[in-house]
Amino acid sequence: MSKPKYVAALATVAIALAGCNGGSHPSPGPSPSAGAQEARIAWLRVSECMRANGYPDFPDPALDDRGVWTVSYPTQGSPAECDELVRQAKVNSRALSAISPSEMASLQAYAKCMRGHGIAAFPDPDEDGNFGPGVEPLQADPKFPAAFDACKALRPPQRPK
């Protein structure tokens, strides 16, 4: 993988998980939990490692509008010196984004509603709470707008990917 593509990939993963505004001052927003602070620190370590190992423009993590710590570069193919830091940052972040049983029940109720309103192929959510790319083609079905409207009260908020 070329260096620019590698850096772009690392940033994408990290942006979804990090949180500084490029300087030493934290981004404004809600008080983060202890787990969120651990995720932020883990991604800061990844950023520092990446910069020390050939990626001088690698960004600090940032808290996005959905409350997810992220970096704007991918971490796949990171330098060996950073592999363990990347792994730990991903573990910390994954723990924060785990879907609760009540969220899963809501997502399943939404899927059932969509099927009940004529979108028979509407999928159940996966273990991460995502419906997947198979939903996009279903939107072309003429019955989709009515089903979408009928199920709007059950529609869950957008989850981070």
Side-chain angles (χ1 to χ4, degrees):
M1 177 179 271
S2 71
K3 198 171 192 176
K5 286 183 182 176
Y6 165 77
V7 172
L10 278 173
T12 301
V13 171
I15 282 180
L17 306 169
C20 260
N21 57 9
S24 60
H25 306 310
S27 300
S31 294
S33 66
Q37 283 289 45
E38 288 176 17
R40 178 182 177 269
I41 290 167
W43 284 107
L44 280 170
R45 289 181 180 143
V46 168
S47 295
E48 291 167 0
C49 183
M50 293 297 292
R51 288 191 290 263
N53 287 283
Y55 298 90
D57 296 329
F58 196 89
D60 279 345
L63 191 61
D64 72 12
D65 60 347
R66 295 176 293 173
V68 177
W69 289 103
T70 63
V71 293
S72 57
Y73 287 85
T75 55
Q76 297 167 324
S78 60
E81 298 85 357
C82 304
D83 283 348
E84 180 59 26
L85 294 172
V86 170
R87 187 195 68 73
Q88 188 59 52
K90 288 180 179 181
V91 166
N92 289 356
S93 296
R94 209 172 288 125
L96 291 172
S97 64
I99 190 163
S100 72
S102 64
E103 288 174 311
M104 181 58 77
S106 293
L107 293 166
Q108 290 168 335
Y110 177 72
K112 183 177 179 180
C113 180
M114 291 296 286
R115 289 190 296 269
H117 284 87
I119 310 301
F122 199 90
D124 278 325
D126 65 16
E127 66 276 358
D128 295 323
N130 298 309
F131 292 109
V135 171
E136 191 171 319
L138 299 175
Q139 294 175 12
D141 186 318
K143 294 178 276 184
F144 194 90
F148 189 78
D149 191 51
C151 300
K152 69 181 170 189
L154 297 171
R155 191 168 47 247
Q158 181 74 26
R159 288 188 49 80
K161 306 272 186 226

